[in-house]
């Protein structure tokens, strides 16, 4: 009930923002939302104790899936793009997960990174997809409805918000029951999980699949905001950003990824205006501060504040 | 006659070490059997083979009239074989209640919450329900490990040294709780134990391991008095024994 109310409030705020905010803020909100969804998936995966340094793979797959729909097949419907991107991310994750779910710790992290870099290499080499330049996408309708120019992005933000809120609610439900506890159990002690009669492999596999589908969705949403895709979406620095945001927010709440992504995007916008040269360095310092002083993420601050209130 | 578990000609070696040298044993339903033997005698190896963690080099293991050699620990657990470990295997960052809740949920309890309450009560773990498993005293960790193993679908309960690294005055209390719970659940129990007072008190039958083989098998009275057992297992100076 509390979660439902929070979801309704979040959705109302996002819709208000989509309708009233200036274009630049709508753009920023779309990007933050897109990254928040990817990080939500990452948080699901992290419950099992695994960190993927290659979610850019699915972010890129989602972005390119959306762009290809528009570019190759002249499908300019944002709803189709978002759904296709989530499906593409989930499908590839279902395949690669068969392999990855066998690995743990640094091997899992590095293998996921390697897979994303393979896609990066392929995209850079592929002239048909614009190699390093990428190509543009055009989305004009949503479920067949057309909108006045200038309104499209606002509508896409509303649609993205609705999907993100539903996804967050579903993840909240999922982690709040047996599955969430089972994921923590896999993180703590796989031997005991097996000796209780459950399969750690299956838990990791399913959570990896969820993370892949959410990242694919996020990729399409980002592509809709930018109107352009390029191999950068799958580059390791993009994947690193997702891990950064996950740590910034912490993994204990499903709201944290979105708040952290918003803070991240805001900081980046400000930094690129006023201090474009020290942006990377400030990121590094911020990470250092988080890990040293707030290792459970910014969300733990909110928790503490709520408890003392 | 009514054997739950039958091992036939189990062999297992690790390089030059023979951990199981042609072991054949049958365990009747609703009995409590203790496995004794010096360090490295092959007791844990036997449990590891029965639960599918290790595959015997040769031999058969029949559970419920079915050969379970080659099945994984997960599959064997699902058939009804549960085990606790020499070093408790818990979910360290979760509290006691969640540890049990996970166990009951995986076991497919109809009402996992109720089953968890029952398990907490049965194992006298209620006071610890909200404490983190990783921070518990060793005796409680041991109890929790057994409580997690003994779920609603267990038929055979294997306990690897349920009282090791527990202070002497706690051992009997722990075993009382464990055996009471096992009896209430109607499971067959096989427990590995080094403390002969515990063995004498709780086992209906004792099997003594030595160097991967079995040197005695019978009632506690006869086995614990046998010369070979006193020499190789208990470590007594046996008078008049041939060298
Ligand atoms: N996985 C393994 N790899 C190599 N050797 C092993 C392995 N498991 C057991 N052994 C060896 O097999 C022999 C029997 O070991 P096991 O653990 O079964 O003894 P145990 O009777 O349980 O002893 P303890 O009372 O110390 O627990 C020992 O020599 C041990 O070193
Ligand atoms: Mg042992």
């Amino acid at each position: 009930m509390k979660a439902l109310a929070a979801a309704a409030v979040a959705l109302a705020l996002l819709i208000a923002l989509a309708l009233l905010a200036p274009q630049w803020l709508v753009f920023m909100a779309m990007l933050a939302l897109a990254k928040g969804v990817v990080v939500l998936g990452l948080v699901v995966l992290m419950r099992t104790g695994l960190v993927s340094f290659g979610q850019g793979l699915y972010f890129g797959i989602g972005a390119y899936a959306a762009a290809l729909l528009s570019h190759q097949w002249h499908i300019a419907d944002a709803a189709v793009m978002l759904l296709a991107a989530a499906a593409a991310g989930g499908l590839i994750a279902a395949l690669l997960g068969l392999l990855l779910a066998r690995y743990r710790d640094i091997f899992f992290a590095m293998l996921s990174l390697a897979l994303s870099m393979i896609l990066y290499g392929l995209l850079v080499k592929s002239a048909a997809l614009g190699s390093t330049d990428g190509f543009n996408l055009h989305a004009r309708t949503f479920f067949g409805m057309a909108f006045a120019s200038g309104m499209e992005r606002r509508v896409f933000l509303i649609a993205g918000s609705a999907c993100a809120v539903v996804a967050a609610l579903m993840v909240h439900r999922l982690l709040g029951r047996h599955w969430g506890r089972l994921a923590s159990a896999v993180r703590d002690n796989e031997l005991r999980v097996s000796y209780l009669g459950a399969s750690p492999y299956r838990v990791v596999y399913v959570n990896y699949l969820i993370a892949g589908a959410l990242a694919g969705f996020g990729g399409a949403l980002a592509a809709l905001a930018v109107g352009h895709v390029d191999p950068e979406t799958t580059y390791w620095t993009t994947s690193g950003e997702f891990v950064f945001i996950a740590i910034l927010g912490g993994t204990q709440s499903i709201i944290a990824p979105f708040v952290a992504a918003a803070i991240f995007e805001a900081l980046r916008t400000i930094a690129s205006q006023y201090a474009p040269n020290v942006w990377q360095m400030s990121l590094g310092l911020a990470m250092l501060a988080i890990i040293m002083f707030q290792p459970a993420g910014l969300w733990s601050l909110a928790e503490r504040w709520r408890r003392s209130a | 006659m009514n054997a739950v578990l039958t091992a036939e000609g189990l062999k297992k070696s690790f390089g030059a070490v023979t951990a199981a040298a042609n072991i054949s044993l049958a365990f009747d339903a609703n009995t409590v059997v203790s496995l004794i033997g010096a360090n490295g005698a092959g007791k844990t190896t036997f449990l590891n083979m029965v639960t599918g963690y290790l595959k015997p080099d040769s031999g058969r293991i029949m559970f419920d009239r079915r050969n379970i050699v080659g099945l994984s620990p997960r599959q064997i657990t699902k058939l009804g074989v549960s085990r606790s470990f020499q070093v408790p295997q818990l979910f360290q960052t979760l509290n006691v209640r969640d540890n049990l809740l996970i166990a009951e949920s995986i076991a497919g309890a109809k009402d996992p919450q109720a089953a968890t309450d029952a398990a907490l009560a049965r194992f006298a773990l209620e006071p610890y329900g909200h404490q983190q498993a990783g921070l518990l005293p060793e005796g409680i960790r041991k109890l929790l490990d057994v409580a997690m193993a003994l779920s609603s679908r267990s038929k055979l309960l294997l306990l690897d040294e349920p009282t090791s690294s527990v202070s002497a005055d706690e051992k009997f209390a722990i075993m009382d709780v464990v055996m009471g719970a096992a009896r209430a659940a109607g499971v067959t129990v096989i427990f590995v134990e080094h403390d002969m007072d515990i063995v004498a008190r709780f086992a209906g039958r004792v099997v003594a391991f030595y160097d991967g083989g079995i040197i005695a098998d019978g009632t506690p009275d006869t086995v614990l008095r046998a010369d070979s057992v006193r020499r190789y297992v208990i470590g007594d100076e046996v008078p008049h024994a041939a060298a």
Side-chain angles (χ1 to χ4, degrees), chain A residues 197-211:
Chain A
S199 160
Y201 177 87
R202 198 173 136 247
V203 177
V204 171
Y205 179 79
V206 170
N207 281 3
Y208 185 75
L209 198 156
I210 293 172

Side-chain angles (χ1 to χ4, degrees), chain B residues 8-238:
Chain B
E8 296 166 12
L10 290 188
K11 290 185 184 159
K12 181 78 190 174
S13 21
F14 301 104
V17 177
T18 305
N22 202 10
I23 290 181
S24 295
L25 282 171
F27 299 91
D28 290 339
N30 299 314
T31 53
V32 176
V33 182
S34 179
L35 310 184
I36 62 172
N39 294 117
K43 307 177 297 290
T44 299
T45 300
F46 179 72
L47 297 191
N48 282 342
M49 289 191 291
V50 169
T51 57
Y53 187 77
L54 290 174
K55 194 164 184 282
D57 298 335
S58 64
R60 290 203 308 170
I61 302 170
M62 307 297 291
F63 176 72
D64 260 359
R65 283 183 293 272
R66 167 173 179 193
N67 189 0
I68 56 171
V69 169
L71 299 186
S72 68
R74 180 171 60 91
Q75 292 166 317
I76 291 173
T77 304
K78 282 169 124 174
L79 294 176
V81 180
S82 321
R83 96 173 263 190
S84 73
F85 296 81
Q86 212 166 326
V87 177
Q89 297 295 321
L90 313 173
F91 305 128
Q92 309 275 17
T93 65
L94 306 181
N95 67 29
V96 171
R97 199 187 160 80
D98 279 351
N99 269 268
L100 287 169
L101 186 55
I102 289 166
E104 291 296 347
S105 302
I106 294 176
K110 278 202 197 71
D111 183 350
Q113 297 285 355
T116 298
D117 288 331
L120 281 170
R122 214 181 311 127
F123 283 88
L125 287 169
E126 280 147 330
Y128 303 95
H130 293 285
Q131 289 188 24
Q132 195 183 322
L135 304 176
L136 297 169
E138 187 62 17
I140 305 301
R141 291 165 56 75
K142 284 275 181 189
L143 264 184
L144 179 57
D145 194 40
V146 178
M148 286 168 78
L150 184 63
S151 72
S152 36
R153 70 171 165 206
S154 316
K155 295 176 192 150
L156 173 63
L157 181 63
L158 309 173
L159 308 172
D160 200 350
E161 303 194 15
T163 70
S164 68
S165 54
V166 168
S167 70
D169 47 325
E170 273 182 292
K171 286 186 188 229
F172 276 90
I174 287 183
M175 283 306 277
D176 275 332
V177 172
V178 167
M179 288 303 167
R183 212 174 305 117
V187 297
T188 306
V189 180
I190 301 174
F191 73 102
V192 175
E193 185 56 66
H194 281 289
D195 186 319
M196 294 309 141
D197 295 333
I198 299 275
V199 172
R201 163 82 176 273
F202 292 98
R205 171 185 166 200
V206 180
V207 178
F209 281 64
Y210 178 71
D211 239 357
I214 292 165
I215 51 170
D217 183 349
T219 63
D221 263 0
T222 50
V223 172
L224 295 181
R225 283 210 197 107
D227 279 356
S228 56
V229 171
R230 288 176 60 191
R231 187 175 328 135
Y232 295 123
V233 178
I234 304 172
D236 279 350
E237 288 295 324
V238 180

